[in-house]
């Protein structure tokens, strides 16, 4: 395991400390007004090929997988895997938003929690939280947003269990939600982790938890349709604080049937050239049409992370984003 990990990290570690290298003029801007690279369905690089399908899948998927596992299960794996880099490699590559879909396996008497996307992961949530902590300790000026979502099969008791682990592992590195999270403030206070928790009742009870971060999910199979969706969302106006523009395409049954030899990776790689153009046109900041987090699949491809980080060079002052010309560039898409 050590060999492949080191080789892959060596390839993409140029962005491992990009936050600490930002110019001082950006240190007092809230993180929700900067451009942050994110990974969609962060943990799918370690899906368990022997796993049962998760509890929140449709009855049809469960039935087909039970009747024809040799056919259906490989298809599920091809269209569920959205990342190939490990969580440490993603952080080294510059990703600062991690999309954690958390689940408890049906009929599992233990308190173990896993990540999920159609099927469960081979690693537990607890193990990955410790892995993130180790990385943060080696990068004391980097800040990570952890979006805890989905919560398939979690009871009140399991929520309490998970939150207790989050507090135990990150301790004072957790940034309370009443703090305006600028880099300068985070560094001065020793905060490195913002935990977004998609369960309002729990958020109200714990000041260390932030509300669910809105995710602009286009649910599109075509690149052009996805970009049109994102532009419509921008016209409606960005949320006040953190939000995610998801550049991830989404398959449906018709698309899978038309592309029997396809996969989510092939689908994604074909879309990246057009999405790269769209990303480069964006501006971070607090104005209506500015962006914040941009999350994608297979984040190690096509300079995605680098392109998002470089958007921060467009910010000219701590008070506003320079949006002159934003949204006026015309791009021709054939996808």
């Amino acid at each position: 395991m050590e060999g492949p990990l080191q080789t892959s990290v060596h390839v993409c570690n140029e962005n491992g400390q990009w936050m600490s290298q930002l110019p001082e003029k950006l240190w007092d801007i809230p993180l929700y007004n900067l451009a942050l690279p994110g990974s969609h369905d962060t943990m799918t690089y370690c899906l368990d090929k022997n796993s049962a399908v998760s509890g929140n899948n449709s009855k049809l998927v469960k039935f087909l997988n039970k009747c024809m596992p040799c056919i259906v299960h490989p298809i599920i794996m091809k269209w569920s895997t959205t990342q190939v880099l490990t969580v440490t490699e993603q952080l080294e590559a510059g990703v600062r938003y991690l999309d954690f879909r958390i689940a408890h396996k049906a009929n599992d008497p233990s308190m173990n929690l896993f990540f999920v996307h159609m099927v469960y992961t081979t690693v537990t949530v607890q193990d990955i939280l410790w892995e993130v902590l180790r990385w943060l300790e080696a990068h004391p000026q980097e800040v990570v947003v952890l979006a805890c979502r989905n919560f398939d099969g979690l009871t009140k008791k399991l929520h309490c269990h998970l939150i207790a682990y989050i507090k135990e592992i990150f301790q004072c590195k957790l940034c309370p939600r009443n703090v305006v999270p600028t880099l300068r403030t985070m560094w001065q206070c020793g905060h490195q982790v913002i935990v977004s928790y998609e369960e309002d009742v729990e958020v109200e009870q714990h000041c260390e938890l932030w509300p669910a971060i809105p995710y602009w999910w286009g649910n599109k199979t075509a690149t052009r349709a996805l970009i049109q969706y994102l532009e419509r969302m921008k016209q409606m106006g960005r949320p006040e604080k953190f939000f995610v523009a998801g550049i991830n395409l989404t398959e449906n049954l018709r698309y899978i049937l038309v592309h029997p030899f396809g996969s989510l990776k092939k689908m994604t790689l074909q879309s990246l050239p057009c999405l790269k153009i769209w990303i480069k046109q964006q501006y971070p900041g607090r104005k209506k049409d500015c962006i914040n987090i941009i999350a994608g699949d297979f984040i190690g491809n096509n300079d995605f992370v680098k392109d998002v980080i470089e958007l921060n060079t467009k910010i000219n002052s701590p008070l506003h984003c320079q949006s002159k010309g934003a949204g006026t560039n015309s791009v021709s898409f054939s996808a």
Side-chain angles (χ1 to χ4, degrees):
M1 182 68 183
E2 286 298 317
L5 178 62
Q6 291 174 351
T7 301
S8 184
V9 169
H10 177 72
V11 171
C12 36
N13 65 1
E14 62 187 42
N15 297 320
Q17 302 191 72
W18 69 265
M19 285 181 153
S20 65
Q21 296 166 358
L22 287 175
E24 187 173 358
K25 68 179 183 179
L26 303 184
W27 294 359
D28 296 305
I29 295 178
L31 294 179
Y32 38 75
N33 290 336
L34 295 179
L36 307 179
S39 60
H40 168 250
D41 263 309
T42 299
M43 295 305 303
T44 57
Y45 64 86
C46 59
L47 294 177
D48 185 355
K49 64 182 180 180
N50 298 314
S51 165
V53 295
S54 65
N56 63 356
N57 284 304
S58 69
K59 292 181 179 179
L60 176 60
V61 171
K62 294 177 183 177
F63 174 76
L64 291 175
N65 187 59
K66 186 175 182 179
C67 295
M68 301 178 292
C70 295
I71 298 175
V72 175
H73 212 74
I75 294 174
I76 289 175
M77 294 296 292
K78 283 201 308 178
W79 293 98
S80 297
T81 302
T82 67
Q83 307 295 339
V84 294
L85 299 183
T86 69
V87 71
T88 295
E89 291 171 338
Q90 291 180 41
L91 292 169
E92 283 290 341
V95 165
R96 294 297 177 265
Y97 165 89
L98 302 178
D99 179 15
F100 285 166
R101 314 290 179 94
I102 297 173
H104 182 257
K105 293 180 179 179
N107 304 317
D108 183 355
S110 77
M111 300 280 281
N112 290 333
L113 298 176
F114 294 84
F115 303 96
V116 67
H117 190 214
M118 295 288 284
V119 295
Y120 302 101
T121 56
T122 56
V123 299
T124 65
V125 172
Q126 183 181 359
D127 288 342
I128 293 302
L129 294 179
W130 282 111
E131 185 175 341
V132 172
L133 175 66
R134 288 192 295 270
W135 187 87
L136 288 170
E137 288 176 338
H139 301 78
Q141 288 188 293
E142 299 302 300
V143 177
V144 176
V145 179
L146 305 182
C148 298
R149 310 172 62 196
N150 202 82
F151 299 132
D152 178 18
L154 265 69
T155 61
K156 173 69 175 177
K157 183 178 180 180
L158 286 169
H159 276 294
C160 293
H161 176 70
L162 172 58
I163 294 167
Y165 264 128
I166 290 172
K167 288 184 176 182
E168 175 190 345
I169 291 170
F170 295 116
Q171 299 185 25
C172 63
K173 290 186 182 296
L174 290 171
C175 177
R177 64 176 176 273
N178 63 344
V179 172
V180 177
T182 66
L183 284 174
R184 192 187 303 273
T185 299
M186 300 286 280
W187 293 339
Q188 290 175 345
C189 297
H191 300 323
Q192 287 187 270
V193 184
I194 292 170
V195 175
S196 159
Y197 206 83
E198 206 172 65
E199 185 66 38
D200 293 342
V201 174
E202 302 300 336
V203 171
E204 291 175 2
Q205 296 175 0
H206 301 275
C207 66
E208 300 89 348
L209 302 180
W210 290 61
I213 294 176
Y215 193 109
W216 291 355
W217 177 50
N219 193 20
K220 307 295 183 184
T221 60
T223 312
R224 180 170 183 169
L226 174 60
I227 291 173
Q228 290 173 342
Y229 162 80
L230 293 172
E231 287 299 314
R232 285 196 301 272
M233 296 300 291
K234 284 172 57 183
Q235 290 170 11
M236 294 171 61
R238 57 154 293 165
E240 181 182 357
K241 294 188 178 179
F242 290 107
F243 77 101
V244 183
I247 62 164
N248 50 291
L249 292 173
T250 306
E251 81 289 349
N252 54 33
L253 181 58
R254 181 179 180 276
Y255 189 92
I256 293 174
L257 293 175
V258 173
H259 301 83
F261 301 106
S263 66
L264 190 57
K265 186 171 186 177
K266 290 181 181 178
M267 186 184 191
T268 299
L269 296 184
Q270 291 170 357
S271 73
L272 289 180
C274 289
L275 289 170
K276 182 182 180 74
I277 296 172
W278 182 84
I279 290 170
K280 284 179 169 290
Q281 291 178 340
Q282 305 312 303
Y283 288 78
R286 66 181 186 181
K287 290 191 175 182
K288 175 181 177 180
D289 59 351
C290 290
I291 56 85
N292 174 214
I293 300 166
I294 302 180
D297 293 333
F298 302 101
I299 58 89
N301 291 281
N302 208 33
D303 293 328
F304 161 72
V305 174
K306 175 175 169 286
D307 290 341
V308 176
I309 294 171
E310 286 182 351
L311 294 178
N312 293 300
T313 62
K314 299 182 180 183
I315 300 177
N316 286 334
S317 80
L319 299 179
H320 65 278
C321 75
Q322 176 65 32
S323 61
K324 182 180 178 180
T328 61
N329 295 333
S330 61
V331 184
S332 175
F333 296 101
S334 58

